[in-house]
Amino acid sequence: MIWISLGLLAIAIFTIFSLRFAWWAKDISYEFPRVLTYHMICPHLPKNASKFNRLRVKPHEFEKQLAWLKKNGFTSYFLSELASLEQKPAKAICITFDDGYRDNFTNALPILQKYGFKATIFVVNHRFARNWATDKDLAKSSDELNREDMLSNDEVKKLLQSGLIEIGSHTLNHANLPSLEASDQLKEMCESKLQIKEKFGVRCDAFAYPFGFYDETSVRCAHEAGFSCAVTTKNDVFRPSYSNLQIPRIMISGRQGILSFILKIKKGRNR
């Protein structure tokens, strides 16, 4: 009887593992670049105090990920750099960070420097206001995220000085773009782009749609604002069929380990 129970338990564990990681899915060729989504590189909060630990990749896990990419011959690119290449190189990787958290400087940069990887950071211009972050599931302000320390302007300058960081726009206010009129969408993009140029003396070519929410008007506004590339949260590799203003990304979760990361890179999907 005990062997039957153990057998059923093993089958259940195997089934759950298979559904979670989709290890059986076909690998996608490395000729298609992988664009990865991160937010924070920092320790987790206690489970009872956090809804967003999935956005927090622990530093030692981030290092494991970059070490694996390095060992397996991947080359990193800024998003605008990758998008501009007519012929995308094999094993191209683009690391992106959304929002502009301070740990991108304190924790992520030293690891990027250690392995020689580039990254694109999409900053919210008004990130210092303690009401910029919204829980998209509840459509209300997120106290947890609004308590996080954000990149100072001096830290952004130091990131740029490293030569490994590109700064992109994530709008002025982390706006839900499809909920706005076209003129307001354009304002969120144009003024954000202009402020980045004025504050940091760099051209801002890359854009990320907040929450991954966008529509045809958003894409048109991104083009009118002068962005050469924009990322979504669509779950896929960067195939030639995708417009440079609707680039898909693979979400890297802080709740999953190195095995999940490797499978995501190989399968070219979140799961």
Side-chain angles (χ1 to χ4, degrees), residues 19-51:
L19 290 173
R20 180 175 180 181
F21 294 107
W23 58 267
W24 41 265
K26 183 180 179 181
D27 291 356
I28 295 179
S29 171
Y30 286 145
E31 69 180 290
F32 303 120
R34 275 66 167 158
V35 182
L36 311 182
T37 307
Y38 292 89
H39 289 79
M40 293 172 266
I41 304 299
C42 63
H44 285 188
L45 297 182
K47 288 184 179 180
N48 62 358
S50 174
K51 178 182 177 181

Side-chain angles (χ1 to χ4, degrees), residues 11 23 39 44 49 73 82 110 113 161 182 184-185 210 225 229 232 262:
I11 291 171
W23 58 267
H39 289 79
H44 285 188
L82 181 63
Q113 290 173 318
Q161 290 168 3
D184 291 325
Q185 291 198 42
C229 53
T232 70
I262 293 169

